[in-house]
Each structure stands twice: as C-alpha cells, then as structure tokens.
Amino acid sequence: AQSVSQHNHHVILSEAASLELGCNYSYGGTVNLFWYVQYPGQHLQLLLKYFSGDPLVKGIKGFEAEFIKSKFSFNLRKPSVQWSDTAEYFCAVSAGGTSYGKLTFGQGTILTVHP
Amino acid sequence: NAGVMQNPRHLVRRRGQEARLRCSPMKGHSHVYWYRQLPEEGLKFMVYLQKENIIDESGMPKERFSAEFPKEGPSILRIQQVVRGDSAAYFCASSREGDQPQHFGDGTRLSIL
C-alpha cells in the first residue's frame, strides 16, 4: 500500500525567506507525484505534478519540486515566500502510469508567512 | 465556469440517522472521486466512480457507506446509521478523464451529535 509522509506539520516563515517542505513516499512501483495547496477558505488546487522526465518540476506561483527516486522524496521549494503563500500544502502520490486515479495524501503542512 | 459543487457545506446528524452528501462535477467531467479527512489527518481516498460505474472502492468502509454516480444528476455519498466516528470533512473531486488533473470541491463538514 502507498503511504506519504510530510515532515512538518506547521512551518512559520517571514516574507522573502526560502521554503522547503519535505515529502517522502512509500511505494514499490512507479509513481506519479503531486503537490496541492489549500488557501484559507478555498478548495484544494494543484500546484505541480510529476509523471516522468525531468525530475525538477516547475509549478505555478514560483513553486518547484524535485523528485529524488533514490530517496523516495518529492520536496517542494520556493526561493522567496510571500504573505499570500500562507496556506496548507499537501503532497500526494498515485500509482504510476498515465492515470491519476486514487490519490494518497500526506497529512499536510500548514505554512504561515509573516509580512 | 462553475467548479466542483458540493452540498451541503455543513451537515449535522444524530447517531443512527442517514447522511447524504452530494457532488456535482465540473461541466464535461465524467470521473468523480470521494475523499475523507478525519481531524488531524490527511485526505484518505474512499471511492472512484465514472458515470454509472464504480471503478475503485478500495477505500470505502465495508458497511454503512455507499456511493453512486447516476447517468443524470450528482454523485451521492450515502452513510447509513451514522456514528460519532463518521464526523469528518468529505471532499469530492472530478476530472474529465482518468489521466487528467482532479479538481476539488470545497467539501462537506459532517458532524454527528
């Protein structure tokens, strides 16, 4: 069975600080990897995804993530955060192939950015 | 272009009652997914449906829970004889095809008294 672990429950940063949110997954086969974001009062939105190819994936709003297969990791990064990045971030995985299908989510990381 | 619509946003039921949660997918989407988020936990997959068919129900509890996505109308997640442990946020997502991104609704918060 797949599982996803996010290292930090709550991260607090000041504006312009760099961000890295950890995500590790457990699954023996090929995986598809995702980061979703939920802004306060809004629904989950897809930030970025990895299916295959270049392991460094760029998403919306300046976010990127790197897939390191040997470490079973897919960490999310942003060089300089803004107050508007305050949200909850979820890492998710689905079994490999071209189908999204069933997503397995991590517990989520709440990011608070102080102006 | 309306997104995934879930209703009600909040639902309160007493133990033993039935809860019906509705999800209208985005226009043109024929794939629906239900997830549950228990307090202090991440979203857990429950069921994946395509019009009139259940594709994957590996995350559905064996008893009291059922889901449908009829040819016409919204997808329904039904919980019979609710218990306190059913209190959670239930999220619906939809996609145009199985290999397209899932778009999420705002969720239904179910509280059991």
Side-chain angles (χ1 to χ4, degrees), chain A residues 85-111:
Chain A
D85 293 324
T86 294
E88 188 162 15
Y89 292 80
F90 294 91
C91 181
V93 62
S94 69
T98 57
S99 174
Y100 279 67
K102 165 186 175 180
L103 291 174
T104 300
F105 284 87
Q107 307 93 314
T109 298
I110 298 169
L111 172 66

mmCIF file of all heavy atoms in Angstrom, chain A residues 85-111:
data_model
loop_
_atom_site.group_PDB
_atom_site.id
_atom_site.type_symbol
_atom_site.label_atom_id
_atom_site.label_comp_id
_atom_site.label_asym_id
_atom_site.label_seq_id
_atom_site.Cartn_x
_atom_site.Cartn_y
_atom_site.Cartn_z
ATOM 1 N N ASP A 85 1.366 33.277 0.302
ATOM 2 C CA ASP A 85 1.614 31.833 0.244
ATOM 3 C C ASP A 85 1.109 31.114 1.487
ATOM 4 O O ASP A 85 1.178 29.878 1.569
ATOM 5 C CB ASP A 85 3.113 31.550 0.072
ATOM 6 C CG ASP A 85 3.645 32.008 -1.273
ATOM 7 O OD1 ASP A 85 2.907 31.906 -2.276
ATOM 8 O OD2 ASP A 85 4.805 32.477 -1.314
ATOM 9 N N THR A 86 0.629 31.870 2.456
ATOM 10 C CA THR A 86 0.047 31.264 3.649
ATOM 11 C C THR A 86 -1.091 30.337 3.247
ATOM 12 O O THR A 86 -2.061 30.758 2.621
ATOM 13 C CB THR A 86 -0.471 32.357 4.613
ATOM 14 O OG1 THR A 86 0.640 33.105 5.098
ATOM 15 C CG2 THR A 86 -1.219 31.741 5.780
ATOM 16 N N ALA A 87 -0.959 29.065 3.596
ATOM 17 C CA ALA A 87 -1.912 28.053 3.135
ATOM 18 C C ALA A 87 -1.501 26.713 3.731
ATOM 19 O O ALA A 87 -0.497 26.603 4.431
ATOM 20 C CB ALA A 87 -1.893 27.949 1.610
ATOM 21 N N GLU A 88 -2.289 25.685 3.426
ATOM 22 C CA GLU A 88 -1.908 24.321 3.789
ATOM 23 C C GLU A 88 -1.492 23.594 2.512
ATOM 24 O O GLU A 88 -2.167 23.699 1.486
ATOM 25 C CB GLU A 88 -3.050 23.581 4.488
ATOM 26 C CG GLU A 88 -2.627 22.230 5.045
ATOM 27 C CD GLU A 88 -3.572 21.675 6.102
ATOM 28 O OE1 GLU A 88 -4.711 22.173 6.229
ATOM 29 O OE2 GLU A 88 -3.155 20.728 6.816
ATOM 30 N N TYR A 89 -0.402 22.861 2.597
ATOM 31 C CA TYR A 89 0.182 22.205 1.422
ATOM 32 C C TYR A 89 0.143 20.696 1.626
ATOM 33 O O TYR A 89 0.516 20.190 2.686
ATOM 34 C CB TYR A 89 1.624 22.674 1.223
ATOM 35 C CG TYR A 89 1.701 24.134 0.825
ATOM 36 C CD1 TYR A 89 1.587 25.139 1.796
ATOM 37 C CD2 TYR A 89 1.845 24.514 -0.494
ATOM 38 C CE1 TYR A 89 1.617 26.477 1.440
ATOM 39 C CE2 TYR A 89 1.894 25.853 -0.866
ATOM 40 C CZ TYR A 89 1.773 26.825 0.117
ATOM 41 O OH TYR A 89 1.805 28.156 -0.251
ATOM 42 N N PHE A 90 -0.320 20.010 0.591
ATOM 43 C CA PHE A 90 -0.457 18.564 0.649
ATOM 44 C C PHE A 90 0.358 17.916 -0.468
ATOM 45 O O PHE A 90 0.232 18.285 -1.634
ATOM 46 C CB PHE A 90 -1.922 18.148 0.473
ATOM 47 C CG PHE A 90 -2.831 18.576 1.583
ATOM 48 C CD1 PHE A 90 -3.498 19.783 1.521
ATOM 49 C CD2 PHE A 90 -3.025 17.760 2.689
ATOM 50 C CE1 PHE A 90 -4.356 20.177 2.547
ATOM 51 C CE2 PHE A 90 -3.878 18.147 3.714
ATOM 52 C CZ PHE A 90 -4.535 19.356 3.649
ATOM 53 N N CYS A 91 1.146 16.924 -0.093
ATOM 54 C CA CYS A 91 1.845 16.094 -1.056
ATOM 55 C C CYS A 91 0.970 14.869 -1.313
ATOM 56 O O CYS A 91 0.289 14.381 -0.397
ATOM 57 C CB CYS A 91 3.192 15.684 -0.464
ATOM 58 S SG CYS A 91 4.216 14.662 -1.516
ATOM 59 N N ALA A 92 0.947 14.387 -2.555
ATOM 60 C CA ALA A 92 0.109 13.230 -2.873
ATOM 61 C C ALA A 92 0.813 12.364 -3.906
ATOM 62 O O ALA A 92 1.655 12.839 -4.676
ATOM 63 C CB ALA A 92 -1.259 13.674 -3.395
ATOM 64 N N VAL A 93 0.450 11.089 -3.923
ATOM 65 C CA VAL A 93 1.044 10.135 -4.853
ATOM 66 C C VAL A 93 -0.050 9.251 -5.433
ATOM 67 O O VAL A 93 -1.055 8.969 -4.775
ATOM 68 C CB VAL A 93 2.129 9.293 -4.152
ATOM 69 C CG1 VAL A 93 1.522 8.483 -3.015
ATOM 70 C CG2 VAL A 93 2.835 8.369 -5.115
ATOM 71 N N SER A 94 0.116 8.856 -6.685
ATOM 72 C CA SER A 94 -0.757 7.838 -7.265
ATOM 73 C C SER A 94 0.132 6.820 -7.969
ATOM 74 O O SER A 94 1.287 7.111 -8.292
ATOM 75 C CB SER A 94 -1.768 8.442 -8.243
ATOM 76 O OG SER A 94 -1.127 8.912 -9.406
ATOM 77 N N ALA A 95 -0.428 5.636 -8.166
ATOM 78 C CA ALA A 95 0.330 4.584 -8.836
ATOM 79 C C ALA A 95 0.702 5.038 -10.240
ATOM 80 O O ALA A 95 -0.038 5.771 -10.874
ATOM 81 C CB ALA A 95 -0.488 3.310 -8.887
ATOM 82 N N GLY A 96 1.859 4.601 -10.710
ATOM 83 C CA GLY A 96 2.399 5.082 -11.972
ATOM 84 C C GLY A 96 1.571 4.757 -13.178
ATOM 85 O O GLY A 96 0.629 3.997 -13.122
ATOM 86 N N GLY A 97 1.920 5.382 -14.267
ATOM 87 C CA GLY A 97 1.156 5.279 -15.495
ATOM 88 C C GLY A 97 0.593 6.645 -15.804
ATOM 89 O O GLY A 97 0.991 7.645 -15.232
ATOM 90 N N THR A 98 -0.346 6.678 -16.685
ATOM 91 C CA THR A 98 -0.882 7.970 -17.089
ATOM 92 C C THR A 98 -2.166 8.315 -16.356
ATOM 93 O O THR A 98 -2.751 9.354 -16.580
ATOM 94 C CB THR A 98 -1.152 7.990 -18.609
ATOM 95 O OG1 THR A 98 -2.052 6.915 -18.914
ATOM 96 C CG2 THR A 98 0.149 7.810 -19.366
ATOM 97 N N SER A 99 -2.618 7.421 -15.473
ATOM 98 C CA SER A 99 -3.886 7.685 -14.801
ATOM 99 C C SER A 99 -3.658 8.324 -13.444
ATOM 100 O O SER A 99 -2.787 7.912 -12.702
ATOM 101 C CB SER A 99 -4.657 6.376 -14.629
ATOM 102 O OG SER A 99 -5.821 6.590 -13.860
ATOM 103 N N TYR A 100 -4.434 9.311 -13.124
ATOM 104 C CA TYR A 100 -4.375 9.890 -11.787
ATOM 105 C C TYR A 100 -4.991 8.926 -10.796
ATOM 106 O O TYR A 100 -4.375 8.550 -9.822
ATOM 107 C CB TYR A 100 -5.137 11.213 -11.750
ATOM 108 C CG TYR A 100 -4.365 12.378 -12.279
ATOM 109 C CD1 TYR A 100 -4.034 12.462 -13.613
ATOM 110 C CD2 TYR A 100 -3.972 13.398 -11.434
ATOM 111 C CE1 TYR A 100 -3.329 13.546 -14.095
ATOM 112 C CE2 TYR A 100 -3.276 14.494 -11.903
ATOM 113 C CZ TYR A 100 -2.950 14.560 -13.236
ATOM 114 O OH TYR A 100 -2.257 15.638 -13.706
ATOM 115 N N GLY A 101 -6.244 8.548 -11.064
ATOM 116 C CA GLY A 101 -6.912 7.572 -10.217
ATOM 117 C C GLY A 101 -6.870 7.958 -8.760
ATOM 118 O O GLY A 101 -7.014 9.110 -8.370
ATOM 119 N N LYS A 102 -6.641 6.969 -7.923
ATOM 120 C CA LYS A 102 -6.639 7.122 -6.480
ATOM 121 C C LYS A 102 -5.404 7.880 -6.036
ATOM 122 O O LYS A 102 -4.279 7.489 -6.325
ATOM 123 C CB LYS A 102 -6.664 5.715 -5.870
ATOM 124 C CG LYS A 102 -6.312 5.626 -4.411
ATOM 125 C CD LYS A 102 -6.236 4.150 -4.026
ATOM 126 C CE LYS A 102 -5.766 3.974 -2.601
ATOM 127 N NZ LYS A 102 -5.706 2.541 -2.250
ATOM 128 N N LEU A 103 -5.620 8.980 -5.312
ATOM 129 C CA LEU A 103 -4.521 9.757 -4.748
ATOM 130 C C LEU A 103 -4.359 9.407 -3.279
ATOM 131 O O LEU A 103 -5.335 9.329 -2.541
ATOM 132 C CB LEU A 103 -4.803 11.252 -4.882
ATOM 133 C CG LEU A 103 -4.779 11.856 -6.290
ATOM 134 C CD1 LEU A 103 -5.231 13.307 -6.250
ATOM 135 C CD2 LEU A 103 -3.396 11.749 -6.893
ATOM 136 N N THR A 104 -3.101 9.216 -2.858
ATOM 137 C CA THR A 104 -2.785 9.033 -1.448
ATOM 138 C C THR A 104 -2.104 10.311 -0.968
ATOM 139 O O THR A 104 -1.080 10.711 -1.533
ATOM 140 C CB THR A 104 -1.870 7.826 -1.240
ATOM 141 O OG1 THR A 104 -2.531 6.645 -1.717
ATOM 142 C CG2 THR A 104 -1.532 7.657 0.231
ATOM 143 N N PHE A 105 -2.684 10.936 0.049
ATOM 144 C CA PHE A 105 -2.204 12.235 0.523
ATOM 145 C C PHE A 105 -1.366 12.103 1.783
ATOM 146 O O PHE A 105 -1.578 11.209 2.615
ATOM 147 C CB PHE A 105 -3.391 13.155 0.845
ATOM 148 C CG PHE A 105 -4.060 13.743 -0.366
ATOM 149 C CD1 PHE A 105 -5.066 13.053 -1.020
ATOM 150 C CD2 PHE A 105 -3.682 14.987 -0.841
ATOM 151 C CE1 PHE A 105 -5.688 13.598 -2.127
ATOM 152 C CE2 PHE A 105 -4.300 15.537 -1.955
ATOM 153 C CZ PHE A 105 -5.302 14.838 -2.594
ATOM 154 N N GLY A 106 -0.440 13.042 1.955
ATOM 155 C CA GLY A 106 0.222 13.217 3.236
ATOM 156 C C GLY A 106 -0.691 13.984 4.188
ATOM 157 O O GLY A 106 -1.796 14.389 3.827
ATOM 158 N N GLN A 107 -0.210 14.185 5.402
ATOM 159 C CA GLN A 107 -1.025 14.792 6.450
ATOM 160 C C GLN A 107 -1.201 16.289 6.269
ATOM 161 O O GLN A 107 -2.047 16.906 6.908
ATOM 162 C CB GLN A 107 -0.412 14.536 7.828
ATOM 163 C CG GLN A 107 -0.115 13.075 8.131
ATOM 164 C CD GLN A 107 1.322 12.682 7.767
ATOM 165 O OE1 GLN A 107 1.817 13.012 6.681
ATOM 166 N NE2 GLN A 107 1.975 11.982 8.650
ATOM 167 N N GLY A 108 -0.405 16.885 5.417
ATOM 168 C CA GLY A 108 -0.494 18.319 5.179
ATOM 169 C C GLY A 108 0.497 19.099 6.028
ATOM 170 O O GLY A 108 0.853 18.693 7.142
ATOM 171 N N THR A 109 0.973 20.216 5.485
ATOM 172 C CA THR A 109 1.837 21.151 6.198
ATOM 173 C C THR A 109 1.210 22.533 6.117
ATOM 174 O O THR A 109 0.928 23.019 5.022
ATOM 175 C CB THR A 109 3.253 21.215 5.598
ATOM 176 O OG1 THR A 109 3.875 19.937 5.707
ATOM 177 C CG2 THR A 109 4.102 22.262 6.306
ATOM 178 N N ILE A 110 0.979 23.116 7.283
ATOM 179 C CA ILE A 110 0.436 24.476 7.328
ATOM 180 C C ILE A 110 1.603 25.445 7.249
ATOM 181 O O ILE A 110 2.533 25.370 8.071
ATOM 182 C CB ILE A 110 -0.354 24.704 8.627
ATOM 183 C CG1 ILE A 110 -1.540 23.735 8.692
ATOM 184 C CG2 ILE A 110 -0.833 26.149 8.703
ATOM 185 C CD1 ILE A 110 -2.214 23.704 10.047
ATOM 186 N N LEU A 111 1.580 26.318 6.270
ATOM 187 C CA LEU A 111 2.611 27.352 6.131
ATOM 188 C C LEU A 111 2.016 28.701 6.516
ATOM 189 O O LEU A 111 0.987 29.114 5.960
ATOM 190 C CB LEU A 111 3.124 27.414 4.692
ATOM 191 C CG LEU A 111 4.062 28.578 4.371
ATOM 192 C CD1 LEU A 111 5.372 28.447 5.152
ATOM 193 C CD2 LEU A 111 4.352 28.658 2.864
#
